[in-house]
Amino acid sequence: ILLSIRGIMKLYDQYMEEIRVQHQLSQIEITIISFLNNHPGRDTARDICEMRMLPKGNVSLGVESLIQKGLLFRTPDEQDRRRIHLSLTEYSVPIVKEIEIAKEKFLKELFQGLTPLL
């Protein structure tokens, strides 16, 4: 089972490789962009760490890098200034579209040959 999961992860990485190279992004940066796009109500680094089970340090470095690249910005919470909300900028829109297309291709290959239950 673990080998199968590892194989699936490698396949996913292959589909994201072109996006990483073209936009000079790391895998964690792609994960952060994708997460924020797919989970509009969960927009903090803590949310990303908890839901994706990623180390805080990796997410923190990825967030900082995306901010410096102009793909992300942070906004302090109005009630709790310790809580920082993350938002994608308009410059991330083309990358989000490319990630979604790559995910569709990945899922299509992953489930190739399987018939739907319904």
Side-chain angles (χ1 to χ4, degrees), residues 4-88:
S4 296
I5 292 171
R6 182 69 182 139
I8 290 169
M9 290 170 55
K10 280 187 173 187
L11 180 64
Y12 180 80
D13 287 347
Q14 288 174 358
Y15 275 93
M16 296 299 151
E17 181 66 24
E18 186 178 328
I19 298 168
R20 278 199 306 269
V21 171
Q22 181 181 354
H23 297 285
Q24 298 177 345
L25 298 171
S26 66
Q27 183 59 44
I28 193 75
E29 291 170 329
I30 289 176
T31 300
I32 292 168
I33 290 170
S34 180
F35 181 89
L36 291 172
N37 182 60
N38 293 324
H39 300 90
R42 308 288 306 240
D43 61 354
T44 66
R46 172 182 247 162
D47 293 332
I48 297 168
C49 291
E50 288 175 358
M51 292 187 71
R52 291 286 185 248
M53 295 186 283
L54 296 170
K56 292 177 190 177
N58 292 2
V59 172
S60 179
L61 287 173
V63 165
E64 196 58 42
S65 177
L66 288 169
I67 289 170
Q68 290 176 3
K69 292 175 182 178
L71 300 173
L72 196 67
F73 65 92
R74 50 182 153 220
T75 309
D77 189 278
E78 292 178 10
Q79 284 90 34
D80 184 355
R81 291 176 9 128
R82 295 172 298 175
R83 188 175 168 97
I84 305 294
H85 297 279
L86 304 171
S87 303
L88 297 170

Side-chain angles (χ1 to χ4, degrees), residues 19 37 92-104:
I19 298 168
N37 182 60
S92 68
V93 172
I95 297 171
V96 167
K97 289 180 183 177
E98 289 178 39
I99 292 171
E100 292 302 315
I101 291 168
K103 277 186 185 180
E104 286 178 28

